[in-house]
Amino acid sequence: MYRTTTCGELRTEHQGKSVTLCGWVDSNRDFGGVQFINLRDRYGITQVVFSTKIGTDQFELARSLRSEDVVQVEGIVELRPDGIVNKKIPTGEIEIKADNLTVLNRSEVPPFQTGVPEVPAEELRLKHRYLDLRRPAMQKTMILRHRIMKVMRDYFDENQFVEIETPVLGKSTPEGARDYLVPSRIAQGSFYALPQSPQLYKQILMIAGYDRYVQIARCFRDEDLRADRQPEFTQLDVEMSFIEMEDILDIISGLVKRLMKDVLGRDLELPIPRLSYDEAMERFGHDAPDLRYGMELVDLTEIVKDCDFRVFSEPAQNGGRVRGINAKGAAEKYSRKDIDVLNQYVVENFGVKGVAWLKVDADGSPAGPIAKNFKPEELAAISQKMGAEPGDFLLFSADTFATTCRVLNGLRRRLASELKLVDPNEMNYCWILHFPMFDWDEDEKRHVAMHHPFTAPLGEHVPLLDTDPGKIRAQAYDLVLNGFEVGGGTIRIHDSKVQSKVFDLLGLSLDTAKEMFGFLLDALQFGAPPHGGIALGLDRLVMLFGGLDNIRDCIAFPKTTKASDLMTGAPGEVAEKQLEELGIVVRADKI
RNA sequence: GGGGACGUAGCUCAAUUGGUUAGAGUACUGGACUGUCGAUCCAGUGGUUGCGGGUUCGAGUCCCGUCGUCCUCGCCA
């Protein structure tokens, strides 16, 4: 037996106990006649004391220990002498008086130290991920991730859900993200696609009668990466039959409450607040608003419609919008230089000419370079509508509705962060409901599905399929946590007439649709129950539950922004023979 | 595909804005020390300043290219 005890569990009540510990050397403090080794494993750190009484050979061996050496220590649990307890660690009241030391394995000098506060460069961490994952902060996150998955599985099991695995090698279905493709050796020239989500399979499972399905599923999307986006990610995937939207919201609300309780030990009051998509865009300019702070968007279109300031009046008269946000009391925190930075930010990120702003003077009147363009009563109206008080900082966007949304959402988030309006401990959930059914694709001059082509419209909007599809709102819902979309789902269409109309609007002929997902269309004709579902992004949930700011820290072996794995070198070249077997010919000009 | 930041000792960073032999902390090596816990003290090793060009009397510093990491727009049903 290698060990009797981990490095995190010994306390004063174990005094006198004979134990054997294994772990990695965290530090070695050598005092000549006595040495202290901090021994680390994933459970914690325990101090081991070596005195000269152990014998010269063993003492010299202990002296030779260096960071990350793997050792086994036999010894007796002793209380530390009076007054020299280490309050920083849970085992700080005891230590192990070593009787025997075995070096199980030496470590090379590590490329970075695991036990210091400084976090090494991410490139280095990813290259030596085995060392990075040894850092207590990473171990905490991996264990948090496990806890969340465990609570999820228990919760769904208790609610009669069945976890069913769906294939990783599937069929490419266009629309949506770019697929990762896997060439078929047996059918040369044909390809499998890795799933972007188990969407179609889980609908098939509903038709097959598994009325409550769940899966913690790996999904793949070959798109560019972000701080909160990886090409390979994990979803909690759920689908239910004989249900309406409310049933999905209920079951997921219950899950979230349970996660808050069991993982974070915190209470979550239900119901989770709800906003319609239209309201979210109106009040926050985004479909995943962060509700931990105010600074809501205020519409000023009517007020400025006939003003002399053409930057405002032109969009207002031409179907656009003029809106603003009020950063309360922030006027003095933003110098002209700071505002230049904000201006540069909106120019670079949103392709607009700049940001218009006003600061509210002590007498309550808005001032700034653009103020002279307005009549006093216009300024007063703007001021009143925005609830402006002395010291407030007002920012404006005048453009199309969509652009004002993007600009003001960006500014709202940025200012909230800079002004520290966010309580980092708050966990703020909301549901966003009734997403538009279709987006208008300006390039292709056609409607595209906002979610997927099987999303059901709101019942009362079905007639609009024939008259005004752009106005249709879908039975689609997103779960938002602290301004991040952590989940989304829809109720599916199970009426074939409605389904054909939707295909029509999307410009999909029945033949094309059949070619793309004929198997689902077939299945829908053999007794499909009313059904719907949702998927939650597990990696993002872990990120938010762990108070982290990037998704790579929540994934054991993540990819870089160029989608490579710095540890293994994937993606890598393969032998010519492998390509030959797959019938893949590399073009000469690419070699 | 576009925009931006960064790249200096094993690691984390500095280098007075183009000027002497590129420094510090830490790690590492050797030494001292019997109660430390990010131990301390003494000494030492350690550099193709990512790579390739260019400008200059002179480049870590400026310019061009390239590679890598990160942030971001597009993209992500």
Side-chain angles (χ1 to χ4, degrees):
Chain A
M1 183 170 62
Y2 271 106
R3 63 178 175 185
T4 60
T5 313
T6 70
C7 298
E9 62 186 276
L10 293 172
R11 299 292 185 273
T12 50
E13 64 262 31
H14 301 107
Q15 182 187 2
K17 193 177 177 192
S18 183
V19 294
T20 308
L21 302 181
C22 289
W24 287 264
V25 173
D26 197 61
S27 61
N28 184 355
R29 295 179 294 283
D30 184 349
F31 282 78
V34 63
Q35 294 177 70
F36 304 94
I37 306 283
N38 276 2
L39 197 61
R40 166 175 33 82
D41 64 15
R42 75 174 171 91
Y43 305 93
I45 285 178
T46 298
Q47 173 165 283
V48 181
V49 186
F50 291 89
S51 78
T52 48
K53 289 178 195 156
I54 198 172
T56 309
D57 287 355
Q58 284 270 294
F59 195 74
E60 286 303 313
L61 187 61
R63 285 189 62 165
S64 75
L65 294 178
R66 291 293 178 272
S67 290
E68 309 308 330
D69 285 341
V70 192
V71 300
Q72 179 190 47
V73 174
E74 293 169 56
I76 307 292
V77 180
E78 292 193 339
L79 298 188
R80 295 201 187 184
D82 286 345
I84 47 176
V85 164
N86 184 354
K87 295 205 175 79
K88 289 183 199 161
I89 55 175
T91 63
E93 291 188 88
I94 58 94
E95 63 193 11
I96 308 300
K97 195 184 109 189
D99 294 325
N100 190 44
L101 168 67
T102 307
V103 176
L104 299 171
N105 210 344
R106 294 284 187 182
S107 170
E108 294 286 320
V109 175
F112 56 86
Q113 296 168 262
T114 55
V116 300
E118 292 117 3
V119 180
E122 189 157 9
E123 194 173 351
L124 201 68
R125 294 173 54 202
L126 292 172
K127 186 172 177 193
H128 303 279
R129 194 60 161 175
Y130 33 87
L131 289 176
D132 192 45
L133 288 168
R134 208 180 274 169
R135 291 168 52 237
M138 285 303 293
Q139 294 190 332
K140 191 176 155 199
T141 305
M142 290 303 118
I143 293 163
L144 170 70
R145 185 179 175 115
H146 160 79
R147 281 294 305 155
I148 289 173
M149 291 171 78
K150 162 78 172 146
V151 170
M152 285 173 167
R153 288 199 159 108
D154 286 350
Y155 175 83
F156 284 105
D157 180 59
E158 288 159 22
N159 283 284
Q160 286 74 53
F161 282 73
V162 181
E163 179 158 10
I164 299 175
E165 294 159 278
T166 52
V168 168
L169 295 178
K171 184 170 156 51
S172 176
T173 53
E175 297 240 13
R178 189 178 296 115
D179 284 322
Y180 274 102
L181 297 176
V182 178
S184 166
R185 174 182 59 84
I186 293 167
Q188 296 203 345
S190 295
F191 295 83
Y192 300 99
L194 304 185
Q196 297 176 27
S197 85
Q199 180 62 40
L200 302 182
Y201 291 108
K202 68 177 178 178
Q203 290 190 243
I204 301 259
L205 287 169
M206 291 305 104
I207 297 164
Y210 298 88
D211 63 324
R212 294 187 155 211
Y213 146 92
V214 70
Q215 183 184 192
I216 295 181
R218 197 64 63 84
C219 305
F220 306 86
R221 291 176 190 177
D222 187 5
E223 297 291 347
D224 285 358
L225 289 79
R226 287 286 190 285
D228 63 348
R229 256 167 35 194
Q230 281 273 305
E232 180 178 355
F233 61 101
T234 305
Q235 279 189 349
L236 172 78
D237 197 42
V238 173
E239 192 80 5
M240 299 168 79
S241 293
F242 309 116
I243 50 94
E244 296 173 331
M245 183 179 83
E246 290 298 334
D247 299 291
I248 302 276
L249 303 194
D250 276 353
I251 201 90
I252 297 299
S253 297
L255 170 70
V256 170
K257 187 179 174 71
R258 177 78 166 270
L259 285 169
M260 289 293 287
K261 188 77 193 159
D262 289 2
V263 178
L264 297 181
R266 293 165 61 165
D267 197 39
L268 174 70
E269 203 178 313
L270 296 182
I272 290 170
R274 301 170 177 199
L275 286 175
S276 72
Y277 169 88
D278 292 326
E279 189 181 357
M281 297 306 281
E282 195 58 54
R283 290 174 54 192
F284 304 99
H286 197 251
D287 61 1
D290 192 336
L291 303 185
R292 289 176 296 177
Y293 50 90
M295 223 194 302
E296 293 190 18
L297 279 53
V298 178
D299 183 77
L300 307 163
T301 312
E302 284 305 316
I303 295 175
V304 300
K305 207 160 196 165
D306 300 312
C307 73
D308 294 332
F309 188 38
R310 293 181 57 181
V311 173
F312 280 14
S313 59
E314 273 189 14
Q317 287 169 14
N318 293 306
R321 297 280 288 272
V322 179
R323 297 195 287 171
I325 53 173
N326 181 353
K328 299 298 291 182
E332 65 180 26
K333 290 185 180 126
Y334 283 85
S335 64
R336 285 302 286 265
K337 204 176 165 188
D338 297 328
I339 296 173
D340 282 347
V341 173
L342 287 180
N343 208 61
Q344 192 186 348
Y345 163 72
V346 299
V347 170
E348 284 174 359
N349 285 299
F350 307 114
V352 295
K353 286 185 184 128
V355 61
W357 57 273
L358 290 166
K359 286 180 176 177
V360 186
D361 283 347
D363 66 2
S365 60
I370 67 165
K372 62 178 186 297
N373 298 297
F374 297 100
K375 299 185 188 76
E377 58 268 29
E378 287 164 350
L379 282 178
I382 290 170
S383 211
Q384 198 214 343
K385 185 130 192 221
M386 297 182 78
E389 296 171 307
D392 288 356
F393 181 34
L394 313 176
L395 299 110
F396 306 92
S397 175
D399 213 301
T400 62
F401 179 69
T403 299
T404 60
C405 282
R406 292 191 306 129
V407 169
L408 292 173
N409 168 61
L411 287 170
R412 179 175 174 267
R413 286 182 190 247
R414 189 181 168 115
L415 266 63
S417 160
E418 288 175 354
L419 295 168
K420 300 194 168 42
L421 302 182
V422 186
D423 173 359
N425 290 315
E426 189 178 343
M427 296 286 272
N428 187 303
Y429 296 88
C430 66
W431 285 109
I432 306 297
L433 307 178
H434 309 330
F435 278 74
M437 186 90 173
F438 304 108
D439 271 338
W440 180 253
D441 187 320
E442 196 50 48
D443 295 338
E444 300 189 28
K445 301 286 177 205
R446 66 177 185 105
H447 291 288
V448 292
M450 194 144 165
H451 278 78
H452 56 73
F454 308 106
T455 301
L458 288 177
E460 67 267 29
H461 285 185
V462 170
L464 293 173
L465 282 168
D466 299 315
T467 56
D468 193 354
K471 283 218 173 95
I472 301 178
R473 293 298 178 257
Q475 299 190 55
Y477 31 86
D478 276 4
L479 180 64
V480 173
L481 169 55
N482 293 352
F484 286 86
E485 180 199 328
V486 292
T490 65
I491 299 297
R492 327 300 179 190
I493 299 170
H494 66 283
D495 177 333
S496 61
K497 274 183 252 156
V498 175
Q499 186 67 70
S500 329
K501 281 192 178 170
V502 170
F503 283 152
D504 254 10
L505 280 165
L506 294 173
L508 275 179
S509 71
L510 199 55
D511 285 347
T512 316
K514 274 184 179 160
E515 196 179 310
M516 284 161 67
F517 20 70
F519 59 99
L520 178 61
L521 300 182
D522 287 346
L524 285 167
Q525 308 205 8
F526 289 91
H531 63 288
I534 191 166
L536 305 191
L538 180 72
D539 315 283
R540 278 187 197 174
L541 270 182
V542 175
M543 175 173 95
L544 294 163
F545 270 62
L548 302 167
D549 59 10
N550 101 50
I551 206 171
R552 292 180 301 277
D553 285 348
C554 309
I555 296 174
F557 302 102
K559 306 281 190 289
T560 68
T561 49
K562 290 233 172 77
S564 67
D565 177 340
L566 295 181
M567 186 179 70
T568 64
E573 295 189 355
V574 298
E576 212 169 304
K577 183 163 184 289
Q578 288 176 286
L579 294 177
E580 280 168 15
E581 284 173 341
L582 294 166
I584 294 176
V585 180
V586 180
R587 280 164 49 192
D589 62 340
K590 294 281 182 189
I591 295 172

